[in-house]
Short mmCIF file of all heavy atoms in Angstrom, two decimals:
data_model
loop_
_atom_site.label_atom_id
_atom_site.label_comp_id
_atom_site.label_asym_id
_atom_site.label_seq_id
_atom_site.Cartn_x
_atom_site.Cartn_y
_atom_site.Cartn_z
N TRP A 1 -2.44 6.06 4.44
CA TRP A 1 -2.49 5.04 5.47
C TRP A 1 -1.64 5.43 6.62
O TRP A 1 -0.47 5.80 6.48
CB TRP A 1 -1.98 3.71 4.92
CG TRP A 1 -2.99 3.01 4.00
CD1 TRP A 1 -3.98 2.15 4.34
CD2 TRP A 1 -3.08 3.14 2.57
NE1 TRP A 1 -4.64 1.75 3.24
CE2 TRP A 1 -4.18 2.37 2.14
CE3 TRP A 1 -2.38 3.90 1.67
CZ2 TRP A 1 -4.50 2.29 0.84
CZ3 TRP A 1 -2.71 3.79 0.32
CH2 TRP A 1 -3.82 2.98 -0.08
N GLY A 2 -2.19 5.36 7.84
CA GLY A 2 -1.50 5.62 9.04
C GLY A 2 -1.71 4.48 9.98
O GLY A 2 -2.79 3.92 10.04
N GLY A 3 -0.68 4.12 10.76
CA GLY A 3 -0.81 2.97 11.63
C GLY A 3 -0.51 1.70 10.85
O GLY A 3 -0.58 1.66 9.63
N THR A 4 -0.18 0.62 11.53
CA THR A 4 0.22 -0.60 10.94
C THR A 4 -0.42 -1.75 11.70
O THR A 4 -0.98 -1.58 12.77
CB THR A 4 1.74 -0.86 10.99
OG1 THR A 4 2.11 -1.15 12.33
CG2 THR A 4 2.51 0.42 10.54
N PRO A 5 -0.38 -2.97 11.12
CA PRO A 5 -0.92 -4.15 11.84
C PRO A 5 -0.28 -4.33 13.21
O PRO A 5 -0.87 -4.95 14.09
CB PRO A 5 -0.60 -5.31 10.90
CG PRO A 5 -0.58 -4.68 9.52
CD PRO A 5 0.03 -3.33 9.73
N SER A 6 1.04 -3.84 13.36
CA SER A 6 1.65 -4.09 14.65
C SER A 6 1.65 -2.83 15.53
O SER A 6 2.27 -2.76 16.54
CB SER A 6 3.15 -4.46 14.43
OG SER A 6 3.82 -3.40 13.71
N GLY A 7 0.92 -1.78 15.06
CA GLY A 7 0.73 -0.61 15.88
C GLY A 7 1.70 0.53 15.61
O GLY A 7 1.60 1.54 16.30
N GLY A 8 2.58 0.38 14.66
CA GLY A 8 3.53 1.46 14.32
C GLY A 8 2.87 2.52 13.44
O GLY A 8 1.70 2.45 13.10
N ASP A 9 3.69 3.49 13.04
CA ASP A 9 3.09 4.56 12.22
C ASP A 9 4.02 5.02 11.11
O ASP A 9 3.81 6.16 10.64
CB ASP A 9 2.66 5.71 13.11
CG ASP A 9 3.76 6.24 13.95
OD1 ASP A 9 4.91 5.83 13.75
OD2 ASP A 9 3.49 7.12 14.82
N ASP A 10 5.00 4.28 10.68
CA ASP A 10 5.85 4.62 9.56
C ASP A 10 5.51 3.74 8.39
O ASP A 10 5.53 2.50 8.46
CB ASP A 10 7.32 4.43 9.93
CG ASP A 10 7.80 5.43 10.97
OD1 ASP A 10 7.24 6.52 11.03
OD2 ASP A 10 8.67 5.08 11.78
N GLU A 11 5.19 4.36 7.21
CA GLU A 11 4.80 3.63 6.05
C GLU A 11 5.58 4.15 4.82
O GLU A 11 5.64 5.38 4.64
CB GLU A 11 3.32 3.71 5.76
CG GLU A 11 2.38 3.37 6.88
CD GLU A 11 2.14 4.51 7.80
OE1 GLU A 11 2.05 5.67 7.27
OE2 GLU A 11 2.02 4.34 8.99
N ILE A 12 6.14 3.29 4.07
CA ILE A 12 6.88 3.61 2.83
C ILE A 12 6.34 2.74 1.74
O ILE A 12 6.29 1.51 1.86
CB ILE A 12 8.35 3.50 2.96
CG1 ILE A 12 8.91 4.33 4.15
CG2 ILE A 12 9.11 3.87 1.72
CD1 ILE A 12 10.38 4.10 4.51
N GLY A 13 6.02 3.28 0.53
CA GLY A 13 5.60 2.53 -0.60
C GLY A 13 6.81 2.40 -1.59
O GLY A 13 7.48 3.45 -1.85
N PHE A 14 7.09 1.24 -2.09
CA PHE A 14 8.19 0.97 -3.01
C PHE A 14 7.73 0.74 -4.41
O PHE A 14 8.39 1.06 -5.38
CB PHE A 14 8.98 -0.24 -2.55
CG PHE A 14 9.89 0.04 -1.35
CD1 PHE A 14 9.85 -0.83 -0.25
CD2 PHE A 14 10.76 1.10 -1.33
CE1 PHE A 14 10.67 -0.57 0.83
CE2 PHE A 14 11.56 1.36 -0.24
CZ PHE A 14 11.51 0.47 0.83
N SER A 15 6.55 0.10 -4.61
CA SER A 15 6.15 -0.30 -5.93
C SER A 15 4.64 -0.43 -6.04
O SER A 15 3.93 -0.60 -4.96
CB SER A 15 6.80 -1.61 -6.36
OG SER A 15 6.49 -2.68 -5.37
N ILE A 16 4.11 -0.35 -7.22
CA ILE A 16 2.64 -0.47 -7.42
C ILE A 16 2.39 -1.04 -8.77
O ILE A 16 3.12 -0.77 -9.75
CB ILE A 16 1.94 0.90 -7.22
CG1 ILE A 16 0.42 0.73 -7.25
CG2 ILE A 16 2.42 1.92 -8.22
CD1 ILE A 16 -0.37 2.04 -6.80
N THR A 17 1.33 -1.82 -8.92
CA THR A 17 0.85 -2.30 -10.21
C THR A 17 -0.67 -2.34 -10.24
O THR A 17 -1.30 -2.56 -9.18
CB THR A 17 1.46 -3.69 -10.57
OG1 THR A 17 1.18 -4.02 -11.91
CG2 THR A 17 0.86 -4.77 -9.67
N GLN A 18 -1.24 -2.09 -11.42
CA GLN A 18 -2.68 -2.24 -11.51
C GLN A 18 -3.02 -3.68 -11.80
O GLN A 18 -2.35 -4.36 -12.53
CB GLN A 18 -3.26 -1.34 -12.62
CG GLN A 18 -4.80 -1.30 -12.64
CD GLN A 18 -5.38 -0.11 -13.36
OE1 GLN A 18 -4.76 0.44 -14.27
NE2 GLN A 18 -6.59 0.28 -12.95
N THR A 19 -4.10 -4.12 -11.19
CA THR A 19 -4.50 -5.56 -11.27
C THR A 19 -5.65 -5.71 -12.23
O THR A 19 -6.32 -4.76 -12.67
CB THR A 19 -4.91 -6.05 -9.88
OG1 THR A 19 -5.90 -5.22 -9.30
CG2 THR A 19 -3.70 -6.04 -8.94
N SER A 20 -5.92 -6.95 -12.65
CA SER A 20 -6.91 -7.24 -13.63
C SER A 20 -8.34 -6.93 -13.19
O SER A 20 -9.23 -6.79 -14.07
CB SER A 20 -6.81 -8.70 -14.05
OG SER A 20 -7.00 -9.57 -12.94
N ASP A 21 -8.56 -6.75 -11.92
CA ASP A 21 -9.90 -6.36 -11.38
C ASP A 21 -10.05 -4.85 -11.31
O ASP A 21 -10.96 -4.37 -10.69
CB ASP A 21 -10.21 -7.02 -10.09
CG ASP A 21 -9.24 -6.61 -8.99
OD1 ASP A 21 -8.31 -5.87 -9.24
OD2 ASP A 21 -9.39 -7.09 -7.84
N ASP A 22 -9.10 -4.13 -11.92
CA ASP A 22 -9.06 -2.68 -11.95
C ASP A 22 -8.62 -2.05 -10.61
O ASP A 22 -8.75 -0.82 -10.43
CB ASP A 22 -10.42 -2.11 -12.37
CG ASP A 22 -10.31 -0.78 -13.10
OD1 ASP A 22 -9.27 -0.58 -13.77
OD2 ASP A 22 -11.23 0.05 -13.00
N GLY A 23 -8.15 -2.86 -9.69
CA GLY A 23 -7.62 -2.37 -8.45
C GLY A 23 -6.11 -2.16 -8.58
O GLY A 23 -5.56 -2.10 -9.67
N PHE A 24 -5.43 -2.17 -7.41
CA PHE A 24 -3.96 -1.92 -7.37
C PHE A 24 -3.38 -2.80 -6.27
O PHE A 24 -4.02 -3.13 -5.28
CB PHE A 24 -3.64 -0.48 -7.03
CG PHE A 24 -4.12 0.52 -8.09
CD1 PHE A 24 -5.33 1.09 -8.00
CD2 PHE A 24 -3.37 0.79 -9.24
CE1 PHE A 24 -5.83 1.98 -8.97
CE2 PHE A 24 -3.80 1.66 -10.22
CZ PHE A 24 -5.04 2.28 -10.08
#
């Protein structure tokens, strides 16, 4: 992912979980 809703371009992920619909 590049770019943000506010137009920036720095992204950091802290956590993730799998959901019951097989997504994340």
